[in-house]
Amino acid sequence: MARPFNVRDIESKWQERWRTSGFYEVDNDDPRERFYALCMYPYPSGVAHQGHVRNYTFGDLVVRYQTMRGRAVLSPFGFDSFGLPAENAAIKAGSHPRLFTDQRILELKESVRQLGAVYDWRREVQSHDPTYMKYAQMIFLKFFEAGLAYRAKATVNWCPGCVTVLANEQVGADGTCERSGDLVERKELEQWFFRITDYAEELLKEIDTLEWPERVKTMQRNWIGRSEGVEFSLVVEGSPDLSIRVFTTRPDTGFGVTYAVVAPEHPLLETITTNEQKSAVAELVERTRVASELERTASSSGGDGLEKRGAFTGSYVINPFNGARVPVYVADYVLGTYGTGAIMAVPSEDERDYAFAHVHKLPIVRTVQIPEGFTGGAYTGEGPKINSDFLNGLDIATSKTLATEFLIEKAEGAVTVNYRLRDWLVSRQRFWGNPIPIIHCGACGLVPVPLDQLPVLAPDDVVMDKSGQSPLATHEEFRKVACPRCGADARREADTMDTFTDSSWYFLRFTDPFSEGLAFDPVAAASWMPVDQYIGGIEHAILHLLYARFYMKALIDVGLAEGLPREPFRRLFTQGMIRMDGSKMSKSKGNLVAPQQYYDSVGADGLRLFHLFVGPPADDVDWTQQTNDVIDGCGRFLDRLYRLAQGDECHFRTDESPADLALRRSVHKTIVRVSDGLDKWSYNTSVASLMELLNTVSKYAREGSGAFRPVFDEAIDTMLLLLAPMAPHVTAEMWEQRHGAASELHAQLWPVPDAALLIDDTVTMVVQVAGKVRARLEVPPDISEADATTAALADENVQRILLGAAPRRVVAVPPRMVNIVP
RNA sequence: GCCCGGAUGGCGGAAUGGUAGACGCGGAGGCCUCAAAAGCCUCUAUUCGAAAGGGUGUGUGGGUUCGAAUCCCACUCCGGGCACCA
């Protein structure tokens, strides 16, 4: 494509200028109003792909726009540089992950620079940087001292592909690993956890205060999964001292309990299992132990496997509501890790219980009147209580209250809240991560590495393989250490931290990477936090965004972040992903379209404009055959603007004309429209109004009576200002051509519309007859209702359609429209 | 199964109770040129009509309203999230 200017020369000129000018570096004592703009820091995967381009285009737009709004904008960049891909690549090549990582950081940095995105690079953070590691370890130890980090044996998720344990959040709904896609196995292992469940209530409550996309908030609420109910005791028949605690959210259905279930992991299972039932129960327990999460949680609707997935224990418990004896089963549909690990089963009003009862031929007693025509099994809807003694005829809510009181009095009942959220498993059996700074001493137990010995760094000569053992575990020199407390021979912890721990506080480090001896100075951090605009992918809706919220609260509570807001990200924007042939554009799918070819043709400015223009930023983008044409179109728009601004094709006149006022009105209306679009994340319409304005100015200056220079100049300058955050290079170049090297476009303030120019002399009023448009009239904007009606009725076409008949009714909304009802 | 989005020309999309289809892509025609590329101009939902003008039209069916892409009810399809959490 032949262009009126040299894209590469212009773009590299300005990129170099931004790199060296320090214009986008902000100090912590900057007196301007502050704005913290942040894109989620990336895993360094090499040259940027279109997803990065899209993300950083939005981020850079925010930075430049807010800067022109007069704010001190904090715009840092860094790398989430620990993680499996580098380690796996290193194993394959017999090399060290640091080499891969450092190389890829350089590549990604270069891509970002070529996009023209501006950052305060003095604040750069890399997870694998020893300084950052030191403070990450220090935070771990603070959590450990505060009891927020603990070691426990638990049934955990093990990914055979990644040869490490995973957090619950990293396991998909189908029981596969979120990264590798392997089926996750369950293992009983001793691991490190963060007590995120301590914060379940706060994490849930504060979601309401966040300006986040509704669906992200919903996903977090569901993940935390709060449910309110009653815990009470079921006394075992024949053993008055023995009872099973159960949890229910439907105490009102107590009269419908026809059996009870304990989880295969339940501590009382052995005690209550009778001799005759021992083998059946043992078989069930063994089956559950080896079954994958997937098998265990497979849909309950398939009755086929269900029969085998439960066994009678031989014991009975007494239903406190009616004194009935009901059998106790063990079944794998009850989880040992939730509630009390045991339930009262009400097949009539619970679908899972219904399915189980159906297969095991257990009785079903309805306690809610089913609606007429209801044909399903369990009925979970509203209705009057039946078969329920003192609850009969009442609604469910009232019955719940009464039944709860009953249980409190008669069955050691207590109102309880349960959460689906589990503690965060943070240890990983991998090499390329931050070592957990703990020493295991036979005498002293778990001993923190003294602060002055941080960071614990992994040695470079570690054998990384996929044996499943932590690579550090086999390095004798690393592991062997004297206990800091008693001096005896001890062993260093060999596991590393989940990389999500790194991304849980990097945004705090960005605010103050300068202080010595501190992760960050709370005063400096408080001057920037919370992040005013956080931008990233929807794929982090739960994982990163939940962990970071937890870290923020925990850091405050352990005293590292006093005075900071408890929520780190005030506003979140999640961009759509890029799809090609129906699937996400990604390195693993091999369908990447590298940005370089567009840097060469339409330039970074053209490509940025495309990402802004292609559709609403939150929507997914389909990369199709049409895409290249649209990108060319964006380049064409910049070319036209450039050519027009040269003035060679314009006719200039020295006297004023009515056309000048009309143009100025278009210009000032465009200021409003573009600003609104930028404020409301409607970048596509902002670009559209600039394109429209260019068409208008072009017509004004090249056709008809021609252009008046000052009006033309105002139009061009305004367009450059409005376009500056979107296409920063070419606009900066044009500004310099017009105003000289002393004036820098990006240092200008955002244009302010002249209110007087936002009002037109006449507006188009629509005349409808019976709701159909029959005429359009030019009327003054302050036309009265009577005048509007008169003008409407006088219209020739309206007259013709009315056939002289008097209107039955006239609705006038001056000056927009008049609707005549014949 | 439950929850949340969404459905508008050939395509991406605009319009959140008042002119449906802004803007762009694609397409058609024209100007410029020896010719092409580039650029520029005009047209481009559909249908009847020579035109003036009219009919139809925002997934489907109903409703509210002077007036509905927009609000309400029911349904269909598409996308996403969650899914034995008692």
Side-chain angles (χ1 to χ4, degrees):
Chain A
M1 192 162 50
R3 306 198 63 179
F5 54 90
N6 187 317
V7 177
R8 305 204 67 168
D9 287 356
I10 286 183
E11 295 198 343
S12 48
K13 165 184 163 183
W14 287 97
Q15 283 160 15
E16 184 57 19
R17 194 164 299 184
W18 295 324
R19 193 178 67 79
T20 53
S21 74
F23 184 63
Y24 289 98
E25 293 174 358
V26 290
D27 293 328
N28 285 347
D29 58 1
D30 195 304
R32 290 173 291 178
E33 184 190 340
R34 280 150 197 256
F35 192 95
Y36 190 175
L38 185 65
C39 291
M40 291 178 185
Y41 81 155
Y43 180 80
S45 55
V47 179
H49 54 69
Q50 295 295 340
H52 291 123
V53 168
R54 195 168 167 73
N55 194 202
Y56 304 136
T57 294
F58 296 155
D60 194 51
L61 182 145
V62 170
V63 171
R64 292 177 184 271
Y65 174 55
Q66 293 298 340
T67 301
M68 290 177 78
R69 284 282 196 197
R71 302 195 167 108
V73 180
L74 179 59
S75 169
F77 203 92
F79 298 91
D80 187 13
S81 51
F82 273 131
L84 272 183
E87 182 168 347
N88 289 339
I91 291 173
K92 214 170 187 178
S95 163
H96 196 284
R98 188 181 300 112
L99 299 175
F100 283 87
T101 304
D102 290 343
Q103 181 55 36
R104 286 176 174 170
I105 284 175
L106 288 178
E107 288 165 4
L108 187 48
K109 261 188 190 171
E110 175 58 16
S111 298
V112 168
R113 196 188 60 80
Q114 283 195 72
L115 184 65
V118 285
Y119 302 99
D120 183 349
W121 284 105
R122 301 171 306 164
R123 296 171 183 265
E124 179 179 355
V125 161
Q126 298 181 0
S127 302
H128 75 297
D129 174 74
T131 306
Y132 191 74
M133 289 172 69
K134 176 169 87 181
Y135 296 122
Q137 292 178 8
M138 199 184 87
I139 291 169
F140 181 96
L141 292 180
K142 276 280 187 186
F143 285 2
F144 179 67
E145 282 164 25
L148 287 172
Y150 66 96
R151 200 168 154 80
K153 190 164 188 160
T155 307
V156 299
N157 305 297
W158 171 267
C159 173
C162 303
V163 280
T164 182
V165 297
L166 303 173
N168 286 329
E169 288 79 4
Q170 290 171 305
V171 181
D174 57 353
T176 58
C177 170
E178 178 248 1
R179 318 196 29 90
S180 71
D182 289 293
L183 199 58
V184 169
E185 295 166 11
R186 298 177 64 76
K187 284 193 176 184
E188 190 82 8
L189 291 170
E190 194 163 295
Q191 296 290 326
W192 284 96
F193 292 88
F194 281 168
R195 223 176 276 282
I196 190 171
T197 53
D198 274 10
Y199 291 86
E201 189 63 33
E202 191 189 344
L203 287 167
L204 181 70
K205 258 202 190 121
E206 288 189 351
I207 290 174
D208 297 340
T209 68
L210 301 172
E211 285 178 60
W212 286 18
E214 213 42 58
R215 68 178 169 145
V216 176
K217 296 210 261 184
T218 306
M219 282 162 78
Q220 291 217 349
R221 285 192 191 103
N222 290 342
W223 187 261
I224 294 167
R226 182 185 201 272
S227 67
E228 227 169 284
V230 190
E231 219 182 278
F232 65 97
S233 296
L234 289 170
V235 178
V236 178
E237 187 195 39
S239 317
D241 296 336
L242 194 60
S243 66
I244 299 167
R245 292 292 279 180
V246 294
F247 173 72
T248 182
T249 55
R250 290 291 303 271
D252 64 291
T253 61
F255 289 92
V257 173
T258 55
Y259 64 99
V261 188
V262 297
E265 301 90 344
H266 198 277
L268 289 179
L269 179 58
E270 241 190 278
T271 319
I272 60 168
T273 302
T274 58
N275 285 335
E276 307 82 76
Q277 296 301 319
K278 276 228 151 60
S279 63
V281 168
E283 194 191 327
L284 188 273
V285 170
E286 177 59 16
R287 263 186 60 92
T288 308
R289 208 180 54 76
V290 299
S292 68
E293 184 78 345
L294 179 64
E295 282 172 75
R296 181 162 174 183
T297 59
S299 172
S300 54
S301 55
D304 184 40
L306 259 174
E307 191 159 17
K308 297 169 200 139
R309 290 208 248 132
F312 180 41
T313 60
S315 285
Y316 292 84
V317 289
I318 307 302
N319 180 348
F321 284 94
N322 55 15
R325 70 197 278 268
V326 297
V328 180
Y329 278 73
V330 56
D332 66 359
Y333 81 89
V334 171
L335 307 175
T337 46
Y338 184 79
T340 59
I343 60 159
M344 65 176 215
V346 186
S348 56
E349 275 105 32
D350 183 284
E351 275 160 30
R352 299 147 301 182
D353 295 345
Y354 182 90
F356 189 86
H358 188 74
V359 174
H360 289 265
K361 310 271 188 294
L362 290 157
I364 295 164
V365 177
R366 293 208 180 271
T367 75
V368 178
Q369 181 64 54
I370 55 169
E372 220 171 303
F374 180 79
T375 52
Y379 174 67
T380 54
E382 200 40 75
K385 300 299 297 183
I386 53 171
N387 300 325
S388 297
D389 191 358
F390 65 97
L391 300 176
N392 281 337
L394 299 174
D395 62 29
I396 292 173
T398 313
S399 307
K400 269 189 188 176
T401 311
L402 293 178
T404 302
E405 285 167 13
F406 176 88
L407 288 170
I408 290 170
E409 204 167 308
K410 308 274 187 195
E412 301 170 320
V415 174
T416 314
V417 176
N418 270 306
Y419 300 91
R420 214 187 74 112
L421 183 71
R422 299 293 142 77
D423 275 341
W424 173 14
L425 199 172
V426 294
S427 41
R428 296 289 181 275
Q429 290 72 51
R430 295 304 303 244
F431 170 74
W432 192 234
N434 200 354
I436 292 173
I438 290 285
I439 291 164
H440 298 255
C441 169
C444 310
L446 299 169
V447 182
V449 173
L451 290 183
D452 60 7
Q453 290 173 28
L454 298 183
V456 175
L457 293 174
D460 280 348
D461 57 341
V462 169
V463 183
M464 290 173 287
D465 57 22
K466 294 199 162 189
S467 66
Q469 197 180 24
S470 298
L472 289 174
T474 56
H475 196 285
E476 267 311 306
E477 225 173 296
F478 172 78
R479 293 215 77 185
K480 206 172 160 223
V481 66
C483 171
R485 208 160 279 169
C486 69
D489 280 355
R491 315 277 291 166
R492 278 188 199 280
E493 170 67 53
D495 285 356
T496 52
M497 289 187 235
D498 183 359
T499 56
F500 279 107
T501 61
D502 298 314
S503 50
S504 290
W505 70 282
Y506 75 104
F507 46 88
L508 292 164
R509 180 72 187 164
F510 277 151
T511 64
D512 177 39
F514 313 113
S515 295
E516 304 270 329
L518 285 170
F520 50 87
D521 172 10
V523 175
S527 74
W528 291 107
M529 291 294 290
V531 174
D532 293 286
Q533 183 64 66
Y534 200 31
I535 308 170
I538 186 80
E539 66 272 21
H540 295 107
I542 294 175
L543 290 155
H544 161 59
L545 289 169
L546 189 67
Y547 293 148
R549 293 182 62 217
F550 157 70
Y551 247 71
M552 192 70 239
K553 297 168 196 309
L555 285 169
I556 294 169
D557 292 347
V558 302
L560 286 175
E562 271 155 358
L564 268 74
R566 293 183 76 83
E567 284 293 335
F569 313 123
R570 195 169 63 85
R571 292 175 74 201
L572 170 72
F573 184 84
T574 49
Q575 65 185 78
M577 62 179 189
I578 315 228
R579 281 187 317 221
M580 199 174 183
D581 308 320
S583 60
K584 181 179 173 161
M585 191 184 269
S586 71
K587 202 167 188 172
S588 56
K589 295 231 163 55
N591 59 358
L592 291 183
V593 178
Q596 190 60 53
Q597 58 175 302
Y598 303 107
Y599 291 161
D600 294 339
S601 60
V602 295
D605 285 338
L607 185 59
R608 289 167 64 124
L609 213 50
F610 162 77
H611 279 286
L612 297 170
F613 180 62
V614 66
D619 288 7
D620 287 349
V621 177
D622 270 311
W623 203 273
T624 65
Q625 302 90 324
Q626 193 185 243
T627 300
N628 281 341
D629 287 333
V630 179
I631 295 173
D632 284 345
C634 291
R636 204 148 47 225
F637 164 71
L638 296 174
D639 292 352
R640 289 181 61 209
L641 176 64
Y642 189 93
R643 268 195 305 265
L644 182 69
Q646 304 309 305
D648 301 342
E649 299 157 20
C650 307
H651 320 297
F652 289 105
R653 56 183 150 71
T654 46
D655 52 330
E656 299 186 40
S657 118
D660 299 336
L661 182 61
L663 185 78
R664 295 198 66 210
R665 283 184 171 142
S666 298
V667 169
H668 285 256
K669 279 182 197 165
T670 303
I671 297 174
V672 173
R673 288 167 65 190
V674 171
S675 311
D676 281 356
L678 298 195
D679 291 334
K680 286 167 27 197
W681 285 88
S682 175
Y683 300 153
N684 51 330
T685 57
S686 289
V687 177
S689 9
L690 281 166
M691 288 174 166
E692 210 175 335
L693 181 61
L694 176 64
N695 291 338
T696 307
V697 178
S698 174
K699 219 166 244 163
Y700 161 82
R702 297 153 42 116
E703 294 170 22
S705 63
F708 187 52
R709 191 88 217 194
V711 172
F712 176 81
D713 284 342
E714 181 195 25
I716 298 293
D717 283 346
T718 305
M719 277 196 279
L720 294 180
L721 290 165
L722 295 177
L723 199 54
M726 309 182 191
H729 308 85
V730 69
T731 49
E733 178 68 16
M734 288 168 67
W735 188 270
E736 191 181 72
Q737 285 174 14
R738 298 169 61 77
H739 298 276
S743 178
E744 149 79 92
L745 171 68
H746 294 281
Q748 305 300 312
L749 285 179
W750 193 249
V752 177
D754 180 344
L757 290 169
L758 300 177
I759 302 155
D760 285 308
D761 285 342
T762 63
V763 296
T764 306
M765 184 175 80
V766 174
V767 182
Q768 300 178 345
V769 178
K772 283 189 202 308
V773 178
R774 297 300 180 178
R776 295 184 170 93
L777 307 174
E778 285 303 312
V779 300
D782 56 350
I783 190 170
S784 70
E785 197 170 319
D787 289 350
T789 305
T790 311
L793 287 168
D795 183 80
E796 203 179 308
N797 202 34
V798 171
Q799 289 275 325
R800 193 177 57 74
I801 284 158
L802 286 175
L803 294 163
R808 264 199 303 141
R809 189 178 166 190
V810 178
V811 181
V813 187
R816 305 191 71 172
M817 56 80 61
V818 172
N819 189 13
I820 298 161
V821 187

